Amino acid sequence: MRIKFHTFLCVIFLLWAIPGLAAAKPHVISFGKWTTVKWLAGADESKPLDLKVRALHVDTRLKEYTTGATHEVTDRLFVVQRAFRLNDSLPDEAGGTPHWQWERGGWLLVDRVTGRVTQITLPEFDPLYSTATWYRDYIAYCGVSDDGKKLFAMVVQLGRRKPILKRALGESAGDDLPDAVCSVPTWQRQPPRVTFQPRHGQAVVFSVRRRTIDLVNNDEDEEEAGSR
């Protein structure tokens, strides 16, 4: 009876320990090789452009396709822009074979510890026009209204539901080329600032102060320059 009871306890211990060991197994995040594909850009999708994409794997399993460089937010989290294939076939087209077309998408947040990949909510983000830059856990980009006519300076912080900056920059240029309405926003570390430069308009600078953003005018820039 003692031997059987001892065996029973060993079995119970193993049943308890094995799931714990499996849960503690680290995830392996890796990227595939770069591949150049055709991206049909423009309002009428008549402009074939080269787009470099690569696969994102979690534990050797394909999770997403991505484009562009990654940004390390912490030693655990990083972000990368998504790319995906969309079926462009019409219902009445013969054969029923999918016609895959590459598209540029939003941004993904990847957790190296849990292996979780989630899409970041970015209001007014347009994959065609919005070129984004990151600083710490902030992303800055030029947003576009749903009708494509208005342009906004946007800053979103990870973990916050609403953008910490949404400021009108005027009318959109109306050009249907990728990234045509606004230059890439630029960041400054000390003091933390971000500059937006619409293609047709003046540059606007904002100061980031503890989850709030203030507009920086030219007078403030001249005062700081004179005090140095």
Side-chain angles (χ1 to χ4, degrees):
M1 290 296 296
R2 291 183 179 180
I3 296 177
K4 292 182 178 180
F5 182 72
H6 178 73
T7 303
F8 174 77
L9 289 179
C10 290
V11 171
I12 295 298
F13 175 79
L14 289 174
L15 291 175
W16 172 81
I18 289 176
L21 292 174
K25 182 180 178 181
H27 294 277
V28 178
I29 311 296
S30 62
F31 288 94
K33 294 182 179 180
W34 287 107
T35 302
T36 301
V37 298
K38 290 300 180 182
W39 174 30
L40 299 180
D44 56 357
E45 297 181 340
S46 62
K47 300 177 176 64
L49 302 176
D50 287 341
L51 181 68
K52 287 187 175 183
V53 301
R54 57 178 176 170
L56 170 64
H57 298 276
V58 178
D59 299 333
T60 71
R61 296 181 61 184
L62 174 64
K63 282 292 186 178
E64 295 281 357
Y65 286 98
T66 67
T67 183
T70 62
H71 168 72
E72 303 292 333
V73 180
T74 67
D75 56 354
R76 170 174 174 168
L77 304 173
F78 71 88
V79 292
V80 65
Q81 190 168 11
R82 180 174 181 249
F84 61 95
R85 293 183 298 172
L86 186 67
N87 182 14
D88 190 51
S89 299
L90 294 173
D92 56 353
E93 287 184 337
T97 303
H99 177 219
W100 298 113
Q101 181 173 303
W102 282 97
E103 300 284 346
R104 193 168 69 176
W107 283 80
L108 303 170
L109 178 66
V110 183
D111 190 323
R112 287 190 175 89
V113 175
T114 65
R116 186 178 181 185
V117 179
T118 55
Q119 188 157 348
I120 304 170
T121 301
L122 298 175
E124 313 298 342
F125 184 86
D126 189 305
L128 178 64
Y129 296 122
S130 301
T131 303
T133 53
W134 287 84
Y135 172 63
R136 296 187 177 183
D137 57 345
Y138 300 102
I139 179 174
Y141 58 93
C142 287
V144 182
S145 60
D146 291 339
D147 58 9
K149 296 181 179 180
K150 296 181 180 180
L151 192 64
F152 302 96
M154 305 288 299
V155 175
V156 174
Q157 186 178 31
L158 293 178
R160 291 176 64 88
R161 298 180 61 182
K162 296 182 178 180
I164 61 175
L165 171 68
K166 182 179 179 180
R167 187 70 59 88
L169 293 177
E171 298 296 320
S172 173
D175 197 335
D176 61 355
L177 290 176
D179 314 325
V181 299
C182 190
S183 299
V184 180
T186 57
W187 286 94
Q188 173 185 323
R189 180 179 291 111
Q190 292 297 336
R193 289 181 176 179
V194 58
T195 302
F196 293 86
Q197 177 62 71
R199 295 294 186 186
H200 302 282
Q202 296 182 344
V204 184
V205 183
F206 297 93
S207 177
V208 181
R209 300 175 181 174
R210 292 186 179 181
R211 299 188 178 182
T212 62
I213 293 190
D214 297 327
L215 176 66
V216 178
N217 57 41
N218 293 332
D219 293 338
E220 290 179 356
D221 286 338
E222 291 175 359
E223 289 177 1
E224 288 191 3
S227 62
R228 293 174 183 174

